[in-house]
Structure formats: C-alpha cells, structure tokens
Amino acid sequence: MTDENILDLSNTTERDAAIQDGRYLLGEKAVEYIQNQMPLLPSSPAAVQDVVRQPLTEAQKFVIREEGLVTVPYYATKKEKAKGTITEGVGLVDTFRPKPGENFAEAFLRAFDAKEDRARALVPKYDTFDPELQTQIMSGVYRGDLSGSPNTLEYIKQNDWDMAAKEFLDHDEYRNPKTSKAIKERMER
C-alpha cells in the first residue's frame, strides 16, 4: 500500500474531507456503523424478517464514540506516519487491524476483548468495579495510556483515585501543547 492510498488524519484538510465524505465517522454515527456490522443473534425461524444483532455494551459504545471509525487505512498522527504505523477502523493497529474477510465490528470485538483481558491483568479488581469505572479503565487501556503508567496502576490497586487521576494526567502526551484538545479531554474523563 502506498502513502497516497493512506489517509493522513494529521492533515486537517484530509481529515475534514474524510468526515465530509463519510470515510471518518464520529460519535453516534461510528457506533451505528459498527452496530450494523455486529454478528447476528440466533433467532427463531418465525422471526427471520426481524434481524437482531448482538448489542454493543456501553463500554464498547464509549470507546467507539471516543475513537471514531475510519473506513480506510490511515495515519492517526504525524509521528505514526513517520513510523509507518497504519491504523484502520476503530483505532485498530498492528495485529488488531481487520484480517481478510473480517469486518470492522469483528476486528473491533477481537481488539476490545483482548484489551479487556489486558485491563483485567493490569487491574486485578477490574470486574468488581462499577460499569462506569470499568468503561474509563477500558478507554485508557484501549488507547494505551493506562498500560504505560505503572504509577497510575499502583494507585488504582490501592483505591487512591485522586492520586491515580493526578498521576494519569502527568503524561508527556497530555502536557504536550500539540496534543489535540479531544485527546486531552478524553484523558480527563
């Protein structure tokens, strides 16, 4: 794949054009796109006309809203472009990019499940937390911020939420004036 075939989201003009023409979906549009690709649930033969898809969890919807969905290969940042890191779908990189024959929802579910396993390994009490806290932990693990912050994880294990929040924001990307407002706001949630 050549660079001219890869969308560069660090380029404002390209990003805006992708939003305009539907290659880059944000918020509820991204959630709806993924929901429409979710696997079908088993149903009775009498209900064949009523297609029922596996529902997304609230945590999955949150991550999709925050990440957005890009329907073509893209570079998320100038740094990733320089490194040649190609992303697709809901922030899917490396082994999580869609495999041949796999749609974006299937790739997302595979990535989300793997990252939720990672969240459980990083935060042993993960399954005992309320769904909202689990969602925020998953957002941090999905982006990669939380797994790169051992001090934050230690404060979480100690249930010291004020220090965990403070430490989480003591992050090079958060302090960088070039980091987008949207990423900073996501980290603050």
Side-chain angles (χ1 to χ4, degrees):
M1 185 174 299
T2 60
D3 265 5
E4 65 264 7
N5 296 329
I6 301 171
L7 179 64
D8 180 1
L9 291 185
S10 69
N11 178 310
T12 307
T13 303
E14 281 190 50
R15 183 184 63 237
D16 291 349
I19 292 169
Q20 200 67 26
D21 67 23
R23 291 176 292 158
Y24 184 13
L25 304 172
L26 301 168
E28 290 306 316
K29 288 182 180 181
V31 171
E32 183 180 329
Y33 187 99
I34 292 294
Q35 183 61 66
N36 288 335
Q37 287 189 345
M38 291 293 285
L40 296 175
L41 291 175
S43 61
S44 66
V48 171
Q49 71 274 12
D50 297 328
V51 175
V52 179
R53 296 195 175 276
Q54 175 183 326
L56 291 161
T57 67
E58 290 305 313
Q60 290 167 338
K61 289 177 187 177
F62 183 87
V63 168
I64 294 166
R65 278 186 211 103
E66 295 293 313
E67 289 284 331
L69 167 78
V70 184
T71 62
V72 296
Y74 67 96
Y75 296 119
T77 64
K78 289 178 183 176
K79 184 177 178 181
E80 289 183 7
K81 182 176 183 177
K83 290 178 9 183
T85 303
I86 299 172
T87 307
E88 287 184 78
V90 184
L92 303 168
V93 296
D94 301 327
T95 59
F96 295 118
R97 287 179 59 199
K99 296 176 180 180
E102 188 176 51
N103 68 31
F104 291 122
E106 293 163 336
F108 171 72
L109 291 175
R110 183 169 46 81
F112 191 92
D113 289 347
K115 291 177 186 224
E116 191 165 42
D117 289 345
R118 176 86 172 127
R120 288 184 177 103
L122 292 169
V123 183
K125 294 180 185 176
Y126 175 82
D127 288 314
T128 67
F129 296 145
D130 68 78
E132 178 59 31
L133 182 52
Q134 288 178 352
T135 295
Q136 295 306 320
I137 289 170
M138 269 306 297
S139 179
V141 171
Y142 198 92
R143 255 200 104 241
D145 299 321
L146 190 56
S147 56
S149 182
N151 292 337
T152 301
L153 291 167
E154 192 55 41
Y155 288 125
I156 289 172
K157 290 174 187 171
Q158 297 169 15
N159 291 329
D160 189 342
W161 303 107
D162 291 335
M163 284 303 297
K166 190 179 290 186
E167 181 64 32
F168 183 68
L169 295 179
D170 186 16
H171 190 287
D172 289 343
E173 185 178 25
Y174 183 78
R175 288 189 303 268
N176 186 337
K178 293 181 181 178
T179 298
S180 78
K181 181 181 174 189
I183 296 222
K184 288 182 179 185
E185 288 174 352
R186 178 175 178 179
M187 292 176 77
E188 291 169 356
R189 285 194 256 279

